[in-house]
Amino acid sequence: MTSTMEAGGRGEAAWGQAPRRLSILGTTGSIGLNVLDLVATEPGRFEIEALTAGRNARELAELAIRFSARIAVVADPSSYAELRDRLAGTGIEAAAGAEAIASAAARPTDILVSAIVGFAGLAPSLAALGATRTLALANKETLVSAGPLFLATAERAGTRILPVDSEHNAIFQVFETDNAPNVSEVIITASGGPFLRTPKPELAAVTRDMALKHPKWSMGPKITIDSATLMNKGLELIEAYRLYPVSVDQLSVLVHPQSVVHGLVRYKDGSLLAELGVPDMRTPIGYCLAWPERRPTTVKPLDLATVGTLTFEAPDRDRFPCLPLAEAAMRRGDGAPCVLNAANEVAVEAFLAGRIGFLDIARVVEAALAGIDAKGGLSEPSSLLAATELDGWARKIALACL
Ligand code: NDP
């Protein structure tokens, strides 16, 4: 666990004291709405500073008014007029553009939830470091594309990173920092997605609608497709590698269709510690919002007698080639995860738009990774500019392969 993730209540206002000042990047998405769902259950506990969205000005304005935000920002400048008009007379500031999102992220807060989807989340997440005391990170693409840069910047800025992703949040809860040298394995679980039992020949015919039906989790479209290809598990392996002091060989994936056990840490004495809960993102989000305390949430308690059976199996790397591609990028390091992520974003967008088939997602990612050798190797991005250039380079290769 990096020092930016150390346990302990350093500087945290206890519940019942001053309200916590909170900003949300990606308010109108699946994670953002779950954050506000929890905020609504804790009247007076939070003051909302900034709320941001991509282009959904109508919903963003409604939420900004309902939660009395100080500023609302849309990334897409063409949505600005609608946002401004809807907020007229409310006293809530309106702004637009990628730079305005980064400026909003840099406003002082106690907690900032980073829940923009994709590489677009990196710049504002970096901008928030130092301005927020705790950054609750859902945007896994930040850690995949530029994890070392992001975590080193957080460390220098004194911002604590709490993982929102359910698997990493689970590991955070059971990883004993003092016993880090005695950890032998970190395991993240995977539901297996909608095609867990689909024979390989049938995967070529998978449509957008089929892939968007996740059996266990309700999430935004990009991560839902990533879950169907198992790229999500690959991105999460890289995320775990960035966050926890373990080697690549100590990380593994276990398919667990019930999605009750979210993450496990094995110790050298033979103990295997796990976090269990219903598959509902409000549990890890609530954990981050209340940290270092634990607060009640409206999440239905896990009833193990009703669940009855928990099963585990190894992932099928042959039917789901995105997982071994991500594992290879993780082993390779030096910018390869950034390339993997960029190519995957391009491919998933093309699949959602009906331009390529399901199996083409892995093909496009593989082609982009192969481009690294042609380029003569890469290095890990050491600045936002370097990450943006590498991301752009990989996108061009991926686009050419569609
Ligand atoms: P959604 O697609 O549901 O929401 C994405 C949010 O980001 C929306 O508010 C969207 O605005 C905004 N957005 C999109 N593009 C941009 C942009 N270019 N600039 C600024 N804002 C933008 O995604 P999720 O909530 O599902 O996921 C968010 C992140 O959290 C992802 O990184 C995902 O991997 C991670 N995550 C999600 C989980 C989940 O359960 N959903 C679980 C674990 C991690 P608009 O509505 O206007 O388009």
Side-chain angles (χ1 to χ4, degrees):
M1 189 170 310
T2 65
S3 57
T4 43
M5 295 176 61
E6 277 165 17
R10 205 158 35 107
E12 232 47 57
W15 291 95
Q17 294 181 358
R20 291 183 178 183
R21 188 174 292 197
L22 169 72
S23 287
I24 306 170
L25 310 179
T27 314
T28 49
S30 160
I31 293 284
L33 293 174
N34 274 322
V35 176
L36 287 177
D37 187 71
L38 289 166
V39 166
T41 66
E42 297 270 12
R45 301 289 189 196
F46 294 95
E47 271 177 10
I48 305 298
E49 182 66 30
L51 297 181
T52 81
R55 56 169 63 103
N56 189 345
R58 181 189 52 74
E59 190 170 12
L60 180 64
E62 281 169 17
L63 293 168
I65 292 167
R66 179 168 162 221
F67 288 90
S68 306
R70 294 197 173 88
I71 181 169
V73 190
V74 274
D76 183 356
S78 68
S79 301
Y80 174 68
E82 181 180 358
L83 182 67
R84 182 200 56 207
D85 293 351
R86 286 181 180 273
L87 293 178
T90 62
I92 301 169
E93 210 180 312
E99 281 181 17
I101 298 247
S103 301
R107 290 165 79 115
T109 49
D110 296 306
I111 311 175
L112 176 135
V113 179
S114 168
I116 291 173
V117 61
F119 184 83
L122 174 62
S125 299
L126 280 170
L129 299 176
T132 187
R133 217 158 20 175
T134 298
L135 190 148
L137 186 67
N139 176 262
K140 64 190 78 183
E141 295 90 347
T142 283
L143 285 176
V144 173
S145 302
L149 165 70
F150 177 75
L151 292 171
T153 311
E155 171 102 55
R156 278 198 306 277
T159 290
R160 179 186 305 108
I161 307 299
L162 294 179
V164 171
D165 219 345
S166 58
E167 296 79 1
H168 307 76
N169 187 273
I171 294 162
F172 182 81
Q173 296 190 46
V174 295
F175 195 111
E176 296 173 2
T177 313
D178 293 345
N179 262 318
N182 295 317
V183 167
S184 58
E185 190 179 8
V186 165
I187 304 169
I188 57 175
T189 57
S191 70
F195 310 121
L196 177 59
R197 308 280 172 229
T198 307
K200 193 174 176 183
E202 290 176 26
L203 288 173
V206 160
T207 63
R208 176 185 191 275
D209 288 349
M210 288 158 76
L212 281 174
K213 283 198 188 94
H214 196 279
K216 288 289 171 194
W217 296 94
S218 163
M219 308 179 288
K222 194 258 177 183
I223 186 176
T224 304
I225 302 302
D226 286 346
S227 299
T229 61
L230 287 202
M231 177 59 91
N232 186 46
K233 238 15 80 173
L235 299 176
E236 288 179 3
L237 276 179
I238 300 170
E239 187 181 4
Y241 183 50
R242 308 294 206 198
L243 288 172
Y244 299 100
V246 288
S247 68
V248 168
D249 294 324
Q250 288 175 306
L251 285 166
S252 57
V253 173
L254 205 49
V255 173
H256 167 49
Q258 298 80 25
S259 297
V260 163
V261 178
H262 302 125
L264 307 96
V265 176
R266 191 191 303 279
Y267 293 86
K268 289 178 182 166
D269 65 1
S271 301
L272 192 57
L273 303 194
E275 185 266 349
L276 285 74
V278 292
D280 188 321
M281 284 309 294
R282 287 174 302 173
T283 301
I285 294 169
Y287 179 88
C288 292
L289 293 180
W291 192 89
E293 297 172 41
R294 289 183 186 267
R295 300 280 303 167
T297 66
T298 48
V299 177
K300 190 172 67 150
L302 174 64
D303 178 358
L304 281 172
T306 304
V307 176
T309 307
L310 300 180
T311 61
F312 302 92
E313 58 195 276
D316 184 338
R317 290 179 170 75
D318 178 44
R319 281 188 306 131
F320 298 101
C322 283
L323 178 59
L325 285 171
E327 288 168 333
M330 173 171 67
R331 282 184 187 279
R332 181 166 190 158
D334 287 342
C338 183
V339 172
L340 172 99
N341 179 71
N344 182 56
E345 286 192 29
V346 169
V348 170
E349 206 178 309
F351 173 70
L352 284 169
R355 292 180 63 197
I356 61 172
F358 186 70
L359 296 180
D360 291 324
I361 297 174
R363 178 186 58 77
V364 170
V365 172
E366 191 172 8
L369 288 172
I372 298 176
D373 290 326
K375 194 176 160 59
L378 301 170
S379 52
E380 185 61 38
S382 57
S383 66
L384 176 59
L385 179 63
T388 307
E389 283 176 358
L390 186 52
D391 173 86
W393 173 81
R395 277 170 201 268
K396 268 194 205 136
I397 298 191
L399 281 167
C401 297
L402 293 180

